[in-house]
Amino acid sequence: MDEKTKATLTNLDTWKRGLFMVVFVITSGVAKFIVILLAIFQFITVLFKGQANQGLLPFGQNLSTYLYQISLFLTFKSQRMPFPFSAFPDGTPATELNEDNNEDMPTAETKTNTDEEMVEPESADIKTDVGEAEVDKAKDTKNEPSKE
């Protein structure tokens, strides 16, 4: 066995991370189970009340973000250990731009469907292959009275 392999195998930090990875795999399983229970509860709430329980929506988002952070740690994308070694997430996950996870590097938030801005068709500049003249023609025929 060469020296580099021997040094890697005896590195205490690597073995510590392996132990924490086992702990977070178990934690992830528990958190996924809670997400399943939450989903079932929300479905039953929608069946009987017609809408989801608004108080549980932020908890579901935070728990999903927590699972995302665990996944980043387990796949070596992040060196930062999730809760309880850091704060429990609040809101959407932040995508880490620096693979070394330097604390000084900026993070970009991921965008969810609720973050997107709705655009009204009348106010949007819609470009088509048809051309403006044919669009105007279609509008004129739509406004003409029917010839029945």
Side-chain angles (χ1 to χ4, degrees):
M1 193 179 321
D2 65 349
E3 291 300 317
K4 183 177 180 184
T5 305
K6 190 173 185 177
T8 304
L9 288 174
T10 58
N11 186 349
L12 186 60
D13 289 335
T14 304
W15 288 104
K16 280 186 196 177
R17 183 179 175 103
L19 178 65
F20 284 120
M21 288 176 70
V22 170
V23 169
F24 281 117
V25 164
I26 295 167
T27 304
S28 174
V30 172
K32 287 177 186 176
F33 181 70
I34 294 171
V35 166
I36 291 169
L37 291 178
L38 182 63
I40 292 169
F41 180 79
Q42 287 287 47
F43 180 74
I44 292 170
T45 303
V46 168
L47 282 178
F48 289 103
K49 292 189 176 183
Q51 66 180 12
N53 183 323
Q54 297 298 313
L56 290 178
L57 292 177
F59 176 69
Q61 172 66 63
N62 295 343
L63 194 56
S64 298
T65 303
Y66 181 56
L67 285 167
Y68 174 71
Q69 289 175 349
I70 290 174
S71 297
L72 289 179
F73 179 75
L74 291 176
T75 59
F76 285 81
K77 173 64 180 151
S78 174
Q79 299 300 321
R80 186 178 308 136
M81 286 194 286
F83 179 82
F85 300 97
S86 61
F88 193 77
D90 185 23
T92 59
T95 304
E96 297 178 20
L97 299 176
N98 182 5
E99 292 186 17
D100 296 333
N101 298 318
N102 189 346
E103 300 293 329
D104 298 332
M105 291 299 291
T107 58
E109 267 192 25
T110 56
K111 196 168 209 173
T112 61
N113 289 340
T114 57
D115 294 334
E116 294 177 6
E117 183 178 313
M118 294 296 292
V119 178
E120 295 296 325
E122 295 83 26
S123 66
D125 293 331
I126 301 173
K127 296 180 181 178
T128 63
D129 294 333
V130 179
E132 287 183 30
E134 291 180 3
V135 171
D136 290 339
K137 181 179 173 184
K139 285 182 183 177
D140 291 341
T141 57
K142 187 176 176 183
N143 292 333
E144 290 179 5
S146 63
K147 298 177 185 176
E148 293 179 357

